[in-house]
Amino acid sequence: MSGVSSDQLHKSTLSVYSSLMEHFNPGLQKLGALGNSYAKAFQALAVCSEAYFSALAKMGDQALHTLSSHSFGDVLIQISETQRRLTAEMEGLFQWFQIEVLQAMEKNVKLDAEYMEGSRRVYEMEVRNQAEALEKKLRRGTFRDSLENSEYMVYLRQSNQEILKEEERRYRFLAEKHCGLTQSLLFLINKTGASLQQKADGWKKKVNETKGSRPQTPTHVDQEAQ
């Protein structure tokens, strides 16, 4: 950042500190709270899903014991079992999300708040010390170097580069964690998608095959389905 004044460098560094302490860390904390709510909402969904598809399986079992709808009972039971396995897979994904993403964010927020506060104090104290030392040299006439190459300016430039790297690290951490979440979800889709599509096509075919044996006069249920 050659040509930038000491005041500009100092303000830029403090601005990044403020952004991390006043926006990034509180934002990460809020994101963690929302993530926990998201995970709890899924757990509630999983409970409702289990109740619903257990009831569906019972209906399928009833159909198995009828003369007219044995094949439908088989389809309903298979759908129920498949959905329950899929929910279990999603529960595993959410457990990963809680441990690898949410807990990691929560830990980072606590550690980073203390670190950034201490780092900023050290920076501001060193800036004052460097500025005072430079001012004394200038008053005494013992300063022989250019201001651009002074220890004060070197320190300001280094500090600015370091805080920018700190900022980059934090956003990279956030992006990497959520890239991992996307990859985990993609793995689950690839693992179950083709198999589920094949099963769904088979169920649909099995149900459609019975339509040829329906009565000539549509029943009320048929009309509703149409």
Side-chain angles (χ1 to χ4, degrees), residues 191-202:
K191 177 183 174 183
T192 60
S195 174
L196 185 59
Q197 181 67 60
Q198 188 177 9
K199 288 178 181 178
D201 291 341

Side-chain angles (χ1 to χ4, degrees), residues 113-128:
E114 297 175 4
Y115 171 78
M116 291 304 296
E117 193 172 324
S119 177
R120 179 170 178 166
R121 279 199 303 268
V122 170
Y123 166 73
E124 290 182 310
M125 186 182 302
E126 185 62 24
V127 166
R128 283 195 299 270

Side-chain angles (χ1 to χ4, degrees), residues 125-173:
M125 186 182 302
E126 185 62 24
V127 166
R128 283 195 299 270
N129 292 338
Q130 293 270 5
E132 288 172 3
L134 178 61
E135 188 177 351
K136 288 177 181 177
K137 288 181 180 179
L138 289 172
R139 281 203 307 264
R140 293 170 184 165
T142 57
F143 184 70
R144 296 290 180 264
D145 206 345
S146 67
L147 182 61
E148 185 69 19
N149 295 325
S150 66
E151 289 183 13
Y152 177 55
M153 286 297 291
V154 169
Y155 179 75
L156 288 176
R157 282 194 294 269
Q158 288 177 342
S159 297
N160 188 259
Q161 288 301 309
E162 286 170 7
I163 195 61
L164 288 174
K165 288 178 182 177
E166 291 286 348
E167 184 180 50
E168 182 184 43
R169 274 195 288 269
R170 282 153 182 77
Y171 282 104
R172 183 188 298 115
F173 159 80

Side-chain angles (χ1 to χ4, degrees), residues 17-222:
Y17 268 111
S18 296
S19 176
L20 291 174
M21 295 170 70
E22 297 170 15
H23 300 289
F24 180 84
N25 278 343
L28 198 64
Q29 191 170 20
K30 182 179 179 181
L31 194 62
L34 289 170
N36 283 317
S37 296
Y38 179 32
K40 286 179 182 177
F42 176 78
Q43 287 301 320
L45 174 66
V47 170
C48 293
S49 176
E50 174 63 23
Y52 180 86
F53 287 100
S54 291
L56 183 66
K58 288 181 181 178
M59 297 294 290
D61 187 60
Q62 290 176 23
L64 279 177
H65 294 85
T66 65
L67 294 176
S68 64
S69 305
H70 183 277
S71 62
F72 297 143
D74 188 42
V75 168
L76 291 172
I77 289 172
Q78 287 184 40
I79 289 174
S80 174
E81 290 174 349
T82 300
Q83 182 62 45
R84 290 159 85 177
R85 282 197 296 270
L86 184 59
T87 301
E89 293 276 7
M90 287 297 295
E91 284 184 300
L93 176 63
F94 270 86
Q95 287 174 2
W96 181 93
F97 175 58
Q98 284 185 301
I99 295 169
E100 296 297 327
V101 180
L102 299 181
Q103 289 182 16
M105 288 197 301
E106 184 178 354
K107 180 181 178 181
N108 275 25
V109 167
K110 291 179 180 178
L111 294 174
D112 203 48
E114 297 175 4
Y115 171 78
M116 291 304 296
E117 193 172 324
S119 177
R120 179 170 178 166
R121 279 199 303 268
V122 170
Y123 166 73
E124 290 182 310
M125 186 182 302
E126 185 62 24
V127 166
R128 283 195 299 270
N129 292 338
Q130 293 270 5
E132 288 172 3
L134 178 61
E135 188 177 351
K136 288 177 181 177
K137 288 181 180 179
L138 289 172
R139 281 203 307 264
R140 293 170 184 165
T142 57
F143 184 70
R144 296 290 180 264
D145 206 345
S146 67
L147 182 61
E148 185 69 19
N149 295 325
S150 66
E151 289 183 13
Y152 177 55
M153 286 297 291
V154 169
Y155 179 75
L156 288 176
R157 282 194 294 269
Q158 288 177 342
S159 297
N160 188 259
Q161 288 301 309
E162 286 170 7
I163 195 61
L164 288 174
K165 288 178 182 177
E166 291 286 348
E167 184 180 50
E168 182 184 43
R169 274 195 288 269
R170 282 153 182 77
Y171 282 104
R172 183 188 298 115
F173 159 80
L174 186 60
E176 282 178 344
K177 287 297 182 184
H178 287 82
C179 282
L181 175 62
T182 303
Q183 289 295 324
S184 298
L185 181 59
L186 183 61
F187 174 79
L188 178 59
I189 292 171
N190 290 335
K191 177 183 174 183
T192 60
S195 174
L196 185 59
Q197 181 67 60
Q198 188 177 9
K199 288 178 181 178
D201 291 341
W203 296 330
K204 186 176 180 180
K205 182 180 178 181
K206 202 169 186 179
V207 171
N208 287 340
E209 283 174 350
T210 64
K211 288 184 177 180
S213 61
R214 68 171 55 181
Q216 293 295 319
T217 304
T219 65
H220 175 70
V221 172
D222 291 329

